[in-house]
């Protein structure tokens, strides 16, 4: 990362009159787990759709955190997720320590459909978890599995957001798509669901859910970038709906696991031409209100 790159990112949000950025979709996890994730991307595995996916920010953990700070990211997440039973609690224990030594990271936890999930989700909330992550594609589970039902109830009651990769991009899974999450929301309409990647490629179906449920939000992770537009273009006819939901769209990037510079995600949002007020909400204010961060403003 050059100083010039950081300067360009800072110029973007300063031009909007913001105090910085809030990125709700960044990945920090135990290093040996992250290295396996990177190896999977390098190998063009089936869950990436066999697409060439070079990791742009392959630095050590502390360097990656410092890079986000250099960009002016005021708060970020540690999106971590299990791919099998018995792994979530271990990841959550790691996340407690990471949040303790990384105060600008929103304490992130995760879950998996397994016996005891309600207990460890409740324990994580009581320990200060600010956001959860669930990855339906990688975990290959139905989010409406009855084992998860009490855990969703705990999160809905506590008002803790959960970022869920539930869309079928970059490759469909057995339980991806809008229908499984629609069943979860029918049972837990107050769940603060954040649909990762705007639900790519089922964008309009997930916009339907956001219009139906007032606590559903969507993050911008990889959406509108040149990389994603080649594979799963966002339908132009739905831009007006995206504008109307402007107070529930949140900046996400997938840093560090992105195949292009961080700035490109910001420029991809800017070129939608939905206006500076929309950009201010997406890049900072909506997340600041959701997480009760200093400097939050009404839309």
């Amino acid at each position: 990362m050059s100083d010039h790159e950081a300067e360009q990112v800072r110029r973007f949000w300063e031009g909007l009159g913001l105090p910085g950025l809030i990125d709700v979709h960044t990945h920090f996890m135990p290093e040996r787990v992250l290295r396996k994730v990177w190896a999977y991307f390098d190998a063009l595995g089936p869950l990436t759709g066999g697409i060439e996916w070079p990791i742009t920010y392959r630095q050590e953990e502390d360097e990656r955190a410092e890079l986000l700070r250099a960009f002016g990211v005021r708060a970020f997440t540690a999106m971590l997720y299990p791919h099998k039973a018995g792994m979530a609690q271990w990841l959550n224990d790691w996340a407690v320590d990471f949040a303790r030594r990384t105060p600008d990271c929103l304490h992130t936890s995760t879950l998996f459909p397994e016996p005891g999930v309600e207990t460890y989700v409740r324990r994580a909330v009581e320990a200060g978890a600010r956001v959860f992550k669930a990855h339906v594609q990688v975990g290959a589970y139905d989010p409406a599995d009855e084992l998860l039902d009490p855990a969703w109830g705990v999160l809905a009651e506590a008002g803790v957001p959960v970022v869920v990769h539930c869309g079928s991009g970059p490759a469909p899974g057995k339980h991806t798509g809008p229908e499984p999450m629609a069943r979860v929301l029918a049972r837990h309409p107050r769940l603060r669901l954040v649909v990762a990647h705007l639900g790519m490629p089922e964008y309009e179906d997930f916009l339907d859910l956001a219009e139906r449920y007032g606590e559903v939000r969507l993050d911008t992770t990889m959406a509108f970038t040149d990389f994603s537009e080649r594979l799963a273009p966002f339908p132009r006819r739905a831009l007006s709906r995206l504008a109307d939901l402007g107070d529930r769209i949140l900046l996400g990037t997938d840093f560090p696991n992105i195949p292009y510079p961080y700035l490109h995600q910001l420029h991809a949002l800017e070129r939608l031409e939905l206006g500076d007020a929309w950009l201010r909400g997406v890049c900072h204010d909506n997340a600041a209100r959701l997480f009760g961060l200093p400097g939050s403003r009404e839309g």
Side-chain angles (χ1 to χ4, degrees):
M1 191 274 296
S2 67
D3 291 340
H4 180 61
E5 182 184 9
E7 180 184 342
Q8 287 181 304
V9 173
R10 297 180 76 91
R11 188 179 299 136
F12 172 87
W13 55 259
E14 286 171 351
L16 292 170
L18 292 173
L21 302 170
I22 300 173
D23 191 337
V24 305
H25 196 134
T26 63
H27 291 283
F28 289 88
M29 55 187 72
E31 284 297 287
R32 63 188 178 93
V33 177
L34 185 61
R35 302 292 168 181
K36 289 180 180 179
V37 171
W38 287 349
Y40 192 90
F41 280 98
D42 291 343
L44 308 182
L47 295 186
T48 67
I51 302 159
E52 187 172 347
W53 197 305
I55 304 295
T56 300
Y57 300 101
R58 212 182 282 252
Q59 293 95 328
E60 296 299 316
E61 179 185 281
D62 58 345
E63 294 179 87
R64 296 194 305 273
E66 284 301 322
L67 180 50
L68 287 173
R69 294 174 188 128
F71 288 159
V73 179
R74 299 180 61 212
F76 52 91
T77 58
M79 295 279 103
L80 69 179
Y81 46 86
H83 62 273
K84 60 184 179 180
M87 189 177 177
Q89 182 61 69
W90 172 70
L91 289 172
N92 288 349
D93 291 343
W94 178 89
V96 169
D97 180 66
F98 183 75
R100 186 180 298 121
R101 57 192 164 87
T102 317
D104 41 355
C105 177
L106 296 165
H107 179 176
T108 311
S109 291
T110 190
L111 75 173
F112 195 85
E114 58 191 334
V117 60
E118 178 185 8
T119 299
Y120 69 68
V121 165
R122 191 179 299 278
R123 187 181 304 131
V125 170
E126 292 170 351
R130 307 284 298 280
V131 61
F132 273 68
K133 165 70 173 181
H135 206 312
V136 171
Q137 182 202 40
V138 169
Y141 59 81
D142 185 348
D145 188 314
E146 62 182 30
L147 281 169
L148 282 173
D149 201 54
W152 296 134
V154 169
L155 294 177
E157 182 180 356
V160 175
V162 54
V163 178
V164 183
H165 185 131
C166 43
S168 299
K174 184 177 179 180
H175 301 290
T176 59
E179 195 276 332
M181 284 310 306
R183 286 188 281 127
V184 172
L185 289 167
R187 298 178 203 158
H188 304 283
R190 294 188 297 116
L191 181 68
R192 289 184 163 178
L193 168 67
V194 180
V195 178
H197 305 277
L198 291 180
M200 184 185 308
E202 295 103 341
Y203 301 108
E204 292 178 282
D205 293 325
F206 283 104
L207 286 171
D208 288 344
L209 286 182
E211 290 165 351
R212 192 180 316 157
Y213 296 98
E215 290 292 354
V216 172
R217 295 162 175 83
L218 306 100
D219 81 34
T220 66
T221 303
M222 298 191 76
F224 313 111
T225 63
D226 294 347
F227 182 86
S228 294
E229 285 291 287
R230 288 194 299 269
L231 305 169
F234 186 89
R236 299 298 106 175
R237 62 180 176 269
L239 279 177
S240 62
R241 300 173 70 190
L242 200 68
D244 291 343
L245 288 168
D247 62 342
R248 286 191 278 137
I249 310 298
L250 309 173
L251 174 66
T253 63
D254 238 352
F255 174 94
N257 305 335
I258 46 177
Y260 44 74
Y262 191 92
L263 182 67
H264 180 55
Q265 177 73 76
L266 304 176
H267 283 167
L269 297 174
E270 184 178 46
R271 68 190 181 190
L272 297 176
E273 298 184 342
L274 295 180
D276 286 357
W278 186 86
L279 282 174
R280 281 191 288 271
V282 170
C283 293
H284 180 275
D285 294 347
N286 298 340
R289 285 194 302 275
L290 178 62
F291 292 106
L293 299 176
S296 62
R297 303 177 292 184
E298 292 303 314

